[in-house]
Structures are given as structure tokens and as C-alpha cells.
Amino acid sequence: MHKLVFGTAAAAVATTVMLAAQAQTPNPNAPANFITFNSPVTVLTHVRVIDGTGAPARDNQTLVIRDGRIAQVGGVASITLPAGANIIDLPGRSVLPGLVMMHEHLYYPTGPGVYGQLGESFTRLYLAGGVTTMRTGGNTNGVMDYNLARRIEAGEMVGPAMDATAPYLNGPSPFLQMYGLKDAADARRQANYWADMGASSFKAYMQITRDELKASIEEAHKRGLKVTGHLCSVTYGEAADLGIDNLEHGFFAATDFVADKQPDVCPGQARGQQSVAALDENGAPFAALVKKLVDKHVALTSTLTVFETFTPGRPSPRGLDVLTPQLREQFERAHERVERSASSTYTALFPKDMRMERAFVKAGGLLTAGIDPTGAGGVIPGFADQRQIELLVEAGFTPLEAISIGTLNGAKYLGRDASIGTIAVGKQADLMIVGGDPSTTIADIRRVETVVKKGVGYDPSKLIASVAGQVGLW
Ligand SMILES: [Zn+2]
């Protein structure tokens, strides 16, 4: 009792000291510190427009932003500059829609089976990389994603607009930061509890049963929310039949082709991947699965970035210097191990999944993009989002198609394509301004100079500098 009183008094003193210090020191992380422009009317002119629909780039355009929305867009000669506007001349630059990315997380692997919660640094990095809207594809903390989504929406913090996903819906698993569902009734309770708490979508995981998944989907759909899955115990085909909205990781997580697959049991991710590696990608079973997904309107999320870190012979990821020195070293050791793994399944599987994702699109499927900053690390928000678009081009999409997958397709999935995802009059001014021309040279997507969200310009270099060397701590 004595201890408790003492502790409370000490905490009160500490809080008073902290508040006093905060009152005296300006907040170095206030949103205003990252803003480059915020005017009622902003004009971007002499700029190349890549509108996100897949249409060819248009040179020498003017784009008028008024009250956070795109008011006019057209050839320089066709648009009269509004009086009093903030005019930004952008020769040699391109303007694209802000990225709408679908498999983001606010956590990162920091230790064996441990995910550090890095919401504040990650939301800045996503925005710096050009992401203006994102879905978190499962959370391992409970409420942080919703709190960040609300505070960003209120302008108290900077970051993309967020579709904040609930904690994973999964059966018993080795993951310490995941709840294990007991049965279908439990799945119904969990879905409704987290929706009440603020979740706007759900992610099912590798050990869920078909009954639990069915119950989750029913409850989510009753509330107008969507369910995606990184599955294993349930096959892609079964999930499609149960009404799932989206599947993650291209075909890397499909267990449909495991010969002795037991219902509701995950045969292990490695066995699933071996079966995909052995599959005839031009054969009837794969075509039938693709047809089922397309017929049932199941979207597929490409997360090539995380699999690239498992594949030998690939370039070292960008952005590693934002990590704490310890996390950077940890990833570099993991990367060396990958480089030495001469017989890795991923050598063949990585390009094969790329071809399978293209086959899905060719058959009429909706492909979206995300990064998945998990694995053994090295998938750095923002930097990896740009990389994901580059990898779609490596997969065989044209740069214009890849940009459209990373912008319009995400907006379509979220049901927000009337307001975001392309550059068009009336849409929200969510944009990225980059040097060069990513419609011909996709690597130019790395050259982000300004990210515009609701008409407000943010400086990527300031956002990155504010977290440099500290990602892993907060
Ligand atoms: Zn993930």
C-alpha cells in the first residue's frame, strides 16, 4: 500500500515535469514541420501527368488544386491560372496519384518471434515514399492502428489515410502476439468486438479453420467490412467459396496444390510453396483456381518485396539506414545467409509467382499491391512501396499498368475509387511529384520530391530525416 502511494506520487511528479518540458520545447514532430505547401489554391504547372488509369502520360500539363481537391487539369495553354494561387513550376517532373497500398503493417520483426510496434516512424516513411492511402494487413498490437488512423485523419500526426485492420483472426499458433480463436462462435465475437473498437477490415491467418473463416466473413460482411487472408490451413479455392474478399501474397501462400492436404490443417508454408514451385503453371488445375478467384471477385495482393528478401541474387533493399544500427546489422546477417542458400526454392518460385500474378490479371482478376514489412526484415516502408511497383514491371506489366495497380486498383478494392486512386477533376488531391518520367523509366518512382495529401505538400526528405537511425525504437 505504501509502495503504491509512493509510486503514484512519483508518477505524478514525473508527469508534471514532462508536461512542463513539453510546454517549453516546440514539438519537432509537429505535422507543420513536414509541410512544404498548404494553400487554398495550389497550381502545379509544366508537369507531366500520369493519371493512374493506365492512359499514356501527358506532357506539359497544369493541375489546379483547390481546397484539397483537383479542380482542373489540362494542357498548359488551356488553363488560366487562378489569381492568388501558389504556383509551382515543375519542368522535368511527373505527377502521379498517391500510392494506395494494401499489405502494409505498422510492425517490424525486431527479435525471435517478436514484432516491434513502429506505428509512428512507419506512417511517416509510408507517406515519404508516396503512399497516401494504405490498408494495414493485420495488426499485432490491438488498438494502435486505429488510434493512428484517427489521429492522422484529425491532422494531429502525419501519415497516409488508413484502413486499419483488426488483430489477426487465427487459430492457435506459435505467434506470441496473436490470439488463438477457439471456434466459430469465438470468431463471431472477435470480429464484432474489433469492429466496435474501430477496425475497418480483417485479416485471417494461417491456422484458421474453414468454420471460423466462414463465421468471420459473415460477421464482417454484415457490417460492410472486408476480409483478406494469408492462408495455409484453408486453401485459396475454399476461401473463395466461403466468400473471402482478398488473398495476400500472390500465389506464394496457396496450399491448393499440396497432394495430401488435410482439411483445416496447415501443412506448413514451405510445403505449400514447394507444391506451387512444382505446379504446371499452364495446366488445368491452376487455370481452374484463377477462374474461380476471378468469377468470385476475389482480389489478389502482390507482395513481391518481402519475397525478394528471401531470394538469392537480388539487390540489397533501399532504406536500411533508417533502421537502428542493431536492426540493420541483424538484417544484413540474414541477407548474407540468403545469398549463401544456393538451393533456395525462391530462385525458381519468385519469377514463377510473377508469371502467375500476370496470368491472374490476364484472366480479369483485380491485382493490388503491398509490401509486407515482415520476414527477416529489410522491407522498409516507403522505399519498399516504390520497389513493389518496380517489381511489377519486372513481372512484365508496363510501367503504366504497374502504377495503376499501385493506385487505382487499391482504391477500387477499398471502394474509394470515386474519390482517390487517379488524377481527375473532383478527386482528392492525393499525389506524388517525382523527378523524371516513371511511365518510361519505372525507377524514377524513387525520385519523390513532394507527396501531396488532400492538397497539402509534404517533404519526403524531412519525414525520413525525422526517423533516421531510430526505426526499431518507435
Ligand atoms: Zn503481412
Side-chain angles (χ1 to χ4, degrees), residues 9 29 53 73 144 160 180 183 256 260 310 351 425:
N29 295 323
T53 64
V73 55
M144 183 183 67
D183 52 29
D256 302 59
D260 57 351
F310 304 153
V425 169

Side-chain angles (χ1 to χ4, degrees), residues 391-425:
L391 289 172
L392 288 170
V393 174
E394 187 178 323
F397 295 103
T398 67
L400 288 167
E401 287 168 341
I403 290 165
S404 195
I405 291 167
T407 56
L408 178 58
N409 285 9
K412 277 184 183 165
Y413 179 79
L414 293 174
R416 298 195 59 207
D417 51 314
S419 58
I420 60 166
T422 62
I423 296 179
V425 169

Side-chain angles (χ1 to χ4, degrees), residues 18-173:
M18 261 174 60
L19 289 173
Q22 278 171 8
Q24 285 156 15
T25 320
N27 175 6
N29 295 323
N33 291 327
F34 306 112
I35 291 174
T36 53
F37 60 80
N38 184 8
S39 332
V41 186
T42 301
V43 173
L44 313 179
T45 191
H46 299 115
V47 69
R48 179 181 300 104
V49 171
I50 299 167
D51 69 9
T53 64
R58 300 192 300 276
D59 288 340
N60 209 27
Q61 302 284 297
T62 293
L63 198 148
V64 179
I65 301 167
R66 193 185 301 273
D67 300 325
R69 295 198 167 268
I70 299 166
Q72 279 178 287
V73 55
V76 162
S78 71
I79 291 182
T80 313
L81 299 187
N86 172 25
I87 294 166
I88 303 171
D89 205 23
L90 295 167
R93 274 58 151 232
S94 302
V95 58
L96 292 67
L99 298 175
V100 182
M101 300 299 275
M102 305 304 290
H103 193 128
E104 317 299 75
H105 292 295
L106 299 180
Y107 65 80
Y108 182 91
T110 52
V114 176
Y115 295 96
Q117 304 304 321
L118 307 182
E120 190 154 353
S121 60
F122 270 23
T123 43
R124 285 185 216 170
L125 288 172
Y126 284 118
L127 187 67
V131 180
T132 50
T133 300
M134 62 188 245
R135 176 183 67 185
T136 56
N139 90 50
T140 53
N141 68 80
V143 295
M144 183 183 67
D145 294 26
Y146 325 139
N147 286 337
L148 276 165
R150 281 194 209 104
R151 295 193 63 187
I152 289 167
E153 182 62 25
E156 296 165 14
M157 296 172 80
V158 292
M162 235 194 286
D163 173 32
T165 303
Y168 290 83
L169 295 168
N170 196 21
S173 80

Side-chain angles (χ1 to χ4, degrees), residues 436-449:
D437 181 4
S439 75
T440 55
T441 306
I442 197 61
D444 283 346
I445 203 164
R446 302 174 177 192
R447 297 167 59 190
V448 190
E449 295 179 5

Side-chain angles (χ1 to χ4, degrees), residues 4-16:
L4 185 67
V5 172
F6 177 78
T8 308
V13 170
T15 307
T16 311

